[in-house]
Amino acid sequence: MQVGMIGLGRMGMNMSRRLLQKGHSVVAFDLDEEKVKEIAKEWATGVNSIEELVKNLIPPRIIWIMLPAGKPVEETISLLSHLLPPEDIIIDGGNSYYKDDIRRARELKEKGIRYIDIGISGGICGLESGYCLMAGGEKEDFNYIEPLLEALSAEEGYMYCGPTGAGHFVKMVHNGIEYAMMEAYGEGFELIKSSPYSKHLQFEKLAHLWNQGSVIRSWLLELLELAFKKDPELSTIEGYVEDSGEGRWTVKEAIENGVSTPAIAISLFKRFRSRQKETFSDKVLAALRREFGGHPVKEKP
């Protein structure tokens, strides 16, 4: 099949490569001209604009957007909505909010343009191992693009999740779970590091051990083993952790539906805490302990 790829970042570039390796045709665009030239060397058709991308695709066109959620996706879909005729398909493969998908699909349907939302997991390893794909939209549209999903995915690694928004909703929850899992690993290794046994343990080997038949084995633990191998004490990085939105949306959805997700919520709040060297709330706690119990406080020099 032929597909137009808009966005050649860490995910879009490797997805394009995997599609090419599986025999599909890719027309690629990115604002970074060097990235376009790079993928063109691997037999993709590189173009200099979205308008040119549309002209190089055979109807019904399939255009796959791999851009950051929010304004970049909104502006790209708005432009495409004026360029594409009815029956063409737009796929958003980024981490968009599922309610935005519902609105976009409704607006595009008025013009006869089809829309599919696909949550994608697999990171930079997806090129070699394949991706996990979670799709939402009309079932007949899913069936039409299925050869692309089969090429991109790991074995049994793609699924139709339901109507518009389902793909990104499932991916949102997936990322919320990921937040909580990462927080649990972080807390566990911090506890071990603070113990008298830490001087006898190598974290790289411990992470490897826990992946051999343990109930907490996972790909995240494999990645942690690699991280400890590169930097045994993680001394070269700061504990500053960003969030890309999905954790917030997951907690918001839990609140709206009255579902208890304390582990995911706490993992999100810990990320906020990681960005602050000193918080006023911690000062309040220290001051209160001094006032009610006479506990000592650390004075600033």
Side-chain angles (χ1 to χ4, degrees):
M1 297 185 78
Q2 185 190 47
V3 61
M5 185 68 71
I6 298 178
L8 298 172
R10 291 188 300 272
M11 294 290 285
M13 179 69 82
N14 279 347
M15 288 169 61
S16 297
R17 288 183 172 127
R18 188 170 173 91
L19 287 168
L20 290 165
Q21 292 170 4
K22 297 289 184 176
H24 294 281
S25 174
V26 176
V27 180
F29 169 72
D30 193 278
L31 292 175
D32 187 336
E33 294 180 1
E34 293 304 313
K35 290 183 178 179
V36 175
K37 293 177 182 177
E38 182 180 344
I39 197 63
K41 292 177 182 178
E42 301 179 38
W43 305 107
T45 300
V47 296
N48 297 315
S49 68
I50 292 177
E51 290 85 352
E52 188 180 352
L53 180 138
V54 171
K55 290 178 181 178
N56 276 271
L57 293 171
I58 301 170
R61 299 168 185 83
I62 302 172
I63 299 180
W64 199 311
I65 301 171
M66 291 301 300
L67 296 172
K71 187 176 180 181
V73 176
E74 293 288 351
E75 291 180 346
T76 301
I77 291 178
S78 177
L79 176 58
L80 288 171
S81 71
H82 292 92
L83 296 174
L84 301 180
E87 298 305 314
D88 282 2
I89 297 174
I90 296 175
I91 301 170
D92 179 12
N95 284 322
S96 290
Y97 188 37
Y98 79 98
K99 290 185 179 179
D100 289 335
D101 293 317
I102 296 171
R103 171 181 51 80
R104 292 170 187 159
R106 182 177 62 249
E107 293 170 352
L108 291 169
K109 188 174 183 179
E110 293 176 359
K111 298 186 176 185
I113 301 170
R114 298 182 281 175
Y115 180 84
I116 301 173
D117 56 284
I118 299 182
I120 305 173
S121 184
I124 58 176
C125 296
L127 173 59
E128 180 179 349
S129 304
Y131 299 91
C132 175
L133 307 170
M134 297 148 266
E138 296 293 335
K139 185 63 163 59
E140 62 179 317
D141 297 338
F142 167 84
N143 292 341
Y144 183 75
I145 68 162
E146 192 168 3
L148 297 175
L149 306 184
E150 187 174 3
L152 284 169
S153 71
E155 186 176 357
E156 299 183 353
Y158 70 92
M159 187 172 79
Y160 175 69
C161 298
T164 300
H168 279 149
F169 181 87
V170 172
K171 178 55 164 46
M172 175 189 74
V173 176
H174 163 285
N175 282 26
I177 294 169
E178 178 186 312
Y179 275 42
M181 291 174 66
M182 291 171 67
E183 177 64 22
Y185 283 134
E187 291 178 10
F189 277 95
E190 183 173 358
L191 181 57
I192 290 172
K193 185 174 176 60
S194 70
S195 77
Y197 301 109
S198 63
K199 61 183 178 182
H200 302 286
L201 292 166
Q202 294 181 32
F203 290 161
E204 174 196 344
K205 291 184 177 180
L206 181 57
H208 180 80
L209 171 69
W210 281 348
N211 253 336
Q212 312 310 309
S214 162
V215 296
I216 63 168
R217 63 187 182 274
S218 74
W219 183 51
L220 286 174
L221 205 51
E222 291 178 21
L223 296 176
L224 194 54
E225 179 185 347
L226 293 175
F228 285 134
K229 186 175 183 178
K230 295 173 186 175
D231 186 356
E233 297 293 326
L234 303 183
S235 57
T236 61
I237 62 175
E238 292 186 11
Y240 184 102
V241 189
E242 285 284 9
D243 71 288
S244 54
E246 300 91 336
R248 300 185 189 209
W249 298 334
T250 303
V251 172
K252 179 175 180 289
E253 197 70 23
I255 293 170
E256 290 179 354
N257 288 279
V259 176
S260 176
T261 57
I264 294 174
I266 290 171
S267 68
L268 173 64
F269 297 148
K270 281 292 294 292
R271 292 193 178 199
F272 297 160
R273 177 64 179 87
S274 77
R275 302 166 204 168
Q276 302 171 353
K277 292 182 179 179
E278 183 179 54
T279 64
F280 188 72
S281 63
D282 287 342
K283 292 183 179 183
V284 170
L285 294 178
L288 283 172
R289 292 184 76 250
R290 179 180 60 187
E291 296 304 319
F292 71 66
H295 300 288
V297 297
K298 289 187 177 181
E299 301 283 353
K300 282 193 171 184

